[in-house]
Amino acid sequence: MQNKRQIYGDRIVVKVGTSTLIRQNSKINLEVIKKLAHVLSTLKKDGKDVVLVSSGAIGVGMGVLGIDKRPIKISKQQAVAAVGQAELMQIYNEAFHEYGMSVAQMLITRDIIDYPESHTNVMNSFQELMSMDNAIPIVNENDTVTVSELDHHTKFGDNDQLSAIVTNLVDADLLIMLSDIDGFYSANPLKVPDAHLINSISKINPDIIAAAGGHGTKYGTGGMTTKLKAAELILKHNQQMVLTNGKNPDVIFNILSGDAVGTLFSKNIQ
């Protein structure tokens, strides 16, 4: 029997990836969203501060519009994201209302890092929302307006790094990253049969970087490399991150109980 992990979780950021939210048939996974709403609502009622960073706007938009392949043209991506974000928030709203919770949409850009006034404003919004007993912020990048050109950069790049930035911004104890893989492996388990799950990582070294690679599904932009970049930021600020499979969001309860599920990124490995 493995020892319990020492997990700090009074203020938690949960990031859910597109691959967890969208099925292979392009339909949204309502079961996952309903379970996620139950888990996060329970944590909020137990007195914990909870922030959800949700991918999926483009993936949901593709399903709504009947588009099979992720658009390449930026303006098309932004249009699809606009459709998908509205649909996604409606679904979240209905799911959380079942548990007496309201959701607050927060679409943000890198301005919150680069400009002090923007940083202050978004922090004030986060603090007010977290102080409410029945509201949970749901964060996504503002895909419809973000750009990355010349000296004008407002994109985060991917929601893995966005979730780590939000974790730092709100001074959270823990980032739980729900993905379509059980954790971080010594090699790609789909290609290397004897690849093993790494239980904990305290430092991102060259061997860890070499074990990562590849992009996510046709709906998302993330891969293991972006998750490592997020983990680096988490470790830099002495916070914790757990990467695990999000097919059953009840796993969040196991993580907070100290069960050794997924991969724990923490400087203080017991």
Side-chain angles (χ1 to χ4, degrees), residues 61-116:
M62 287 169 59
V64 171
L65 296 169
I67 299 172
D68 183 57
K69 293 184 178 179
R70 183 183 175 91
I72 297 175
K73 189 178 179 182
I74 297 298
S75 60
K76 186 68 173 287
Q77 289 181 13
Q78 292 174 321
V80 172
V83 172
Q85 188 65 31
E87 179 78 8
L88 185 59
M89 287 305 297
Q90 181 178 339
I91 293 169
Y92 273 130
N93 203 39
E94 291 175 358
F96 277 91
H97 272 180
E98 288 290 318
Y99 303 99
M101 288 287 162
S102 296
V103 298
Q105 178 176 247
M106 296 189 70
L107 299 177
I108 60 180
T109 67
R110 285 193 71 93
D111 294 343
I112 64 169
I113 299 174
D114 298 332
Y115 297 96

Side-chain angles (χ1 to χ4, degrees), residues 4-14 39-40 42-44 46 48-50 173-176 240 242 244 249-261 264:
K4 288 282 187 176
R5 289 171 171 168
Q6 189 172 9
I7 296 291
Y8 304 97
D10 289 330
R11 177 167 289 183
I12 307 157
V13 175
V14 175
V39 172
L40 299 189
T42 300
L43 295 179
K44 183 69 175 179
D46 286 344
K48 296 185 182 297
D49 293 332
V50 180
D173 305 298
L174 174 68
L175 167 61
I176 298 175
Q240 293 183 312
V242 174
T244 192
D250 282 349
V251 72
I252 294 172
F253 291 135
N254 298 103
I255 291 170
L256 294 176
S257 295
D259 296 343
V261 295
L264 169 65

Side-chain angles (χ1 to χ4, degrees), residues 44 104 106 124-133 135-137:
K44 183 69 175 179
M106 296 189 70
N124 289 341
S125 296
F126 270 123
Q127 293 298 338
E128 290 291 345
L129 287 167
M130 287 188 291
S131 70
M132 297 175 182
D133 295 332
I136 292 179

Side-chain angles (χ1 to χ4, degrees), residues 103-168:
V103 298
Q105 178 176 247
M106 296 189 70
L107 299 177
I108 60 180
T109 67
R110 285 193 71 93
D111 294 343
I112 64 169
I113 299 174
D114 298 332
Y115 297 96
E117 188 172 350
S118 296
H119 179 274
T120 299
N121 288 338
V122 76
M123 284 305 304
N124 289 341
S125 296
F126 270 123
Q127 293 298 338
E128 290 291 345
L129 287 167
M130 287 188 291
S131 70
M132 297 175 182
D133 295 332
N134 58 347
I136 292 179
I138 299 184
V139 182
N140 195 0
E141 182 168 8
N142 195 341
D143 291 320
T144 59
V145 301
T146 52
V147 295
S148 183
E149 61 185 19
L150 300 178
D151 60 346
H152 188 197
H153 296 272
T154 60
K155 284 186 68 66
F156 288 99
D158 60 80
N159 275 358
D160 291 333
Q161 292 181 76
L162 170 61
S163 65
I165 290 168
V166 169
T167 302
N168 177 235

